[in-house]
Amino acid sequence: MSLLFQGELCAEPNEYDDPDVVFVGKEMITSIVTELENKSKPYFQELLNEVNCSSDFWLFDSMFNFLKSAASNNNAIVIIWGG
């Protein structure tokens, strides 16, 4: 999952040492979708609980559906993180 947040290409780190924009290529999206499918949904919920971000878990299903659609359509994506 960390691949989703780092991407294959990224902008310079911001003040939180995270990039504001990342590029995720077709192959990387496919590997992320495979990981999401192979591990249980509660596994990822527990990961968010451990970093005190459980309130963001409501995004999981829509994120998974978006990534699965991108993978099945052989698309790359650009993610712009809001601060």
Side-chain angles (χ1 to χ4, degrees), residues 5-6 10-14 17-22 81:
F5 299 100
Q6 295 304 312
C10 61
E12 293 296 318
N14 61 22
D17 204 29
D18 294 320
D20 288 324
V21 179
V22 298
W81 300 107

Side-chain angles (χ1 to χ4, degrees), residues 22-56:
V22 298
F23 170 82
V24 185
K26 302 173 212 177
E27 294 82 15
M28 187 178 283
I29 290 173
T30 299
S31 69
I32 292 168
V33 168
T34 299
E35 182 178 355
L36 290 169
E37 289 175 328
N38 289 336
K39 295 182 179 172
S40 65
K41 188 174 172 179
Y43 170 84
F44 293 104
Q45 187 168 22
E46 183 58 33
L47 285 179
L48 286 175
N49 286 337
E50 289 175 11
V51 294
N52 200 27
C53 291
S54 58
S55 61
D56 295 324

